[in-house]
Amino acid sequence: MKTIRVLVAYGTRNGSTAEIAEWIGEALRERGIAADVRAAGGVKDVGAYDAVILGAGVYAGRWQRDAVRLARRQRARLAHRPVWLFSSGPLDSSAAAGDLPATPAVTRLADRIDARAHVTFGGRLTDGARGYVARQILQQGRGGDFRDPERIRAWARSVAEELREGAGTVVI
C-alpha cells in the first residue's frame, strides 16, 4: 500500500498556529501518514502531496496572508486533492464549546478549492506578541492560551482515518 503524503501548511504571526500545525502533523504520523509541516509562505507547489491541510490564524476576521496566498497560487492543484482547512484565533473558550463557522472570506476560499471541511480552534496570545492590536488585547488582560491540544489531535486523527479509508484521494 502506498504511503499517503500530506502537507500541513500554516500561516501564523506569533507562532500559535505553527504549533497547532505541528500537533496535527504528529497525529497524522502516529496514524502512519507521512506529514510535512511547513510555513505557507515557503510552499511553492503542493503537487507532491496526496492531500493538504491548510490553516491560519485569524486576525480581524481575516486569515493570515501567507495561507491565503498559498491557496490562491495553488488553487488548481488544491481543487484536485482532498483539502481540509483550520483556523485559530478565538481568545476565549468559544471554539472548545462548539463548532464555530469560518469567516466569510475563509468560506469563499473553501468553496473555490472545494475543501472538505473547516474547523476553528482556539488561539493563543501571550506576552511578546507582535502587533499593535495584540499588545492592546494583552494590556486589557484578554490574552491567554485557549487551544485544546487533544481536540486538535482528535480532529487530525479523523482526517487520517478518512484518508486511510481512501476517501477520494486523487493525485494529479
Side-chain angles (χ1 to χ4, degrees):
M1 184 164 125
K2 177 184 171 244
T3 300
I4 299 168
R5 294 194 63 213
V6 175
L7 171 64
V8 182
Y10 61 88
T12 190
R13 185 177 296 165
N14 289 301
S16 174
T17 308
E19 286 182 298
I20 290 172
E22 288 293 343
W23 296 336
I24 290 169
E26 290 168 8
L28 292 172
R29 288 188 286 273
E30 288 169 2
R31 292 289 197 258
I33 302 230
D36 291 338
V37 179
R38 298 180 51 201
V43 175
K44 302 301 180 215
D45 187 12
V46 300
Y49 297 96
D50 301 306
V52 175
I53 297 174
L54 177 60
V58 176
Y59 305 97
R62 299 181 186 272
W63 251 22
Q64 194 276 344
R65 69 178 179 206
D66 290 340
V68 173
R69 287 176 179 165
L70 173 61
R72 287 180 181 158
R73 273 193 330 269
Q74 294 292 303
R75 179 178 170 184
R77 286 190 183 238
L78 291 171
H80 293 288
R81 57 192 27 82
V83 177
W84 287 264
L85 305 176
F86 73 91
S87 297
S88 66
L91 296 176
D92 57 28
S93 61
S94 61
D99 290 334
L100 294 177
T103 67
V106 174
T107 299
R108 284 189 301 275
L109 178 71
D111 290 343
R112 286 183 187 127
I113 62 174
D114 196 26
R116 294 196 171 196
H118 171 272
V119 64
T120 299
F121 301 119
R124 180 192 72 193
L125 188 63
T126 54
D127 289 339
R130 297 181 311 181
Y132 175 78
V133 173
R135 288 190 303 275
Q136 293 302 309
I137 291 169
L138 288 169
Q139 286 178 353
Q140 295 168 9
R142 297 185 331 195
D145 191 344
F146 298 93
R147 300 171 302 169
D148 181 346
E150 187 45 44
R151 179 174 176 251
I152 293 163
R153 288 182 176 105
W155 179 79
R157 288 190 294 267
S158 74
V159 170
E161 291 310 311
E162 191 171 339
L163 284 167
R164 292 185 69 178
E165 289 170 5
T169 300
V170 176
V171 178
I172 293 183

